[in-house]
Amino acid sequence: MADTTLPLPTRAPSVLADVIPTLRERSLLLVVTGSMLMAAASQVRIPLGFTPVPINLATFVAVLVGGSLGARRGAASMGLFLIAGIVGLPFFADANGGWEYFTGATGGYLVAYPLMAVLVGAAAERGRDRNVVTFVAAVVVANLAVYVIGAAWLAHVVDVPVFGSDPTAWSLGVRPFLAGDVVKMLAAGVLFPAAWRVVDR
């Protein structure tokens, strides 16, 4: 008698991390790995001198982690990064840690990273990371959220207006980074669809 048992359906991967079967149920490992990548990226920094906000790779890694892990795991990964830094581990820029650094001039950007991961991760879960245009749009929205929170926090800490006569939070915490962030946003927008094409093969 022929075997008429139908194979069990397999769930299509939602985000890139789900294409690795051995890691699918190992969310803790993925979350920890994402937080360590963020800590490493925070050490790659270029100080500009006129602003307490350096150029670094943190926003790019937040996009990578959120897009690869999805909204919940991405937020958990960025949250773990923040907690580790707040309790004193050298996870923040220049191997800094502690509450005082966290509440300093760059604290708004740190706080915004989990939100960035959520926004990008939610877009990836809806399949928008399969297309360059839709994913770049999601990354732009996430970056705008980082700018708003980071600039508002910076304005409060260093006691400058958000807009107006320089120095402002705009001139110290947003404008110098726009060109570099455009490159990072476009790079992420190309990278994820390319990764999915490789996976689909």
Side-chain angles (χ1 to χ4, degrees), residues 16-184:
L16 282 171
D18 291 332
V19 306
I20 309 172
T22 57
L23 295 182
R24 189 169 297 168
E25 302 303 325
R26 299 182 186 176
S27 294
L28 178 60
L29 178 59
L30 293 170
V31 166
V32 171
T33 300
S35 67
M36 296 302 293
L37 285 175
M38 191 62 163
S42 297
Q43 309 313 312
V44 180
R45 63 186 296 274
I46 303 173
L48 296 179
F50 63 89
T51 173
V53 184
I55 295 173
N56 65 24
L57 297 176
T59 53
F60 185 64
V61 171
V63 168
L64 295 183
V65 171
S68 298
L69 303 189
R72 288 192 298 177
R73 288 181 296 193
S77 188
M78 295 300 96
L80 178 61
F81 161 76
L82 291 181
I83 292 170
I86 290 170
V87 300
L89 294 180
F91 274 30
F92 299 149
D94 281 341
N96 280 297
W99 182 254
E100 184 176 353
Y101 186 91
F102 173 71
T103 56
T106 58
Y109 301 95
L110 295 172
V111 168
Y113 293 149
L115 175 59
M116 185 178 219
V118 167
L119 293 172
V120 175
E125 289 168 359
R126 290 165 173 76
R128 293 177 185 168
D129 61 339
R130 273 78 160 177
N131 178 276
V132 173
V133 174
T134 57
F135 196 58
V136 167
V139 175
V140 168
V141 170
N143 267 272
L144 288 175
V146 173
Y147 292 152
V148 170
I149 298 171
W153 187 300
L154 179 65
H156 173 72
V157 171
V158 301
D159 194 22
V160 296
V162 176
F163 297 105
S165 300
D166 288 344
T168 63
W170 164 261
S171 65
L172 295 176
V174 178
R175 188 174 64 197
F177 309 98
L178 290 175
D181 284 345
V182 167
V183 173
K184 288 185 283 187

